[in-house]
């Protein structure tokens, strides 16, 4: 959902730049891109942690990690 919000802010910034509000439009584009990068970084970090957690299960029958 946050990806869509950041994409909407970038689109709104582009519309604002085309309409004549260059400073406000560029600020909106930068804010949307920054938020998108922040969300992407957090999502990739969460995926990495999930992968680590899934790899740390212990087999109860053989007492080895799998």
């Amino acid at each position: 959902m946050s990806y869509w919000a950041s994409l909407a802010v970038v689109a709104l910034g582009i519309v604002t730049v085309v309409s004549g509000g260059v400073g406000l439009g560029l600020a909106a584009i930068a804010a949307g891109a920054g938020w998108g990068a922040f969300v992407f970084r957090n999502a990739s970090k969460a995926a990495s942690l999930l992968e680590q957690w899934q790899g740390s299960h212990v087999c109860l029958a053989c007492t080895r990690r799998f």
Side-chain angles (χ1 to χ4, degrees), residues 1-59:
M1 168 123 177
S2 289
Y3 288 123
W4 292 110
S6 64
L7 185 61
V9 170
V10 169
L12 182 65
I14 291 171
V15 168
T16 305
V17 166
V18 171
S19 299
V22 177
L24 182 62
L26 290 176
I29 291 170
W35 181 254
F38 175 76
V39 169
F40 177 77
R41 184 182 62 181
N42 284 346
S44 62
K45 183 178 179 182
S48 173
L49 289 173
L50 178 63
E51 185 178 320
Q52 275 182 333
W53 178 79
Q54 287 177 340
S56 69
H57 286 75
V58 176
C59 175

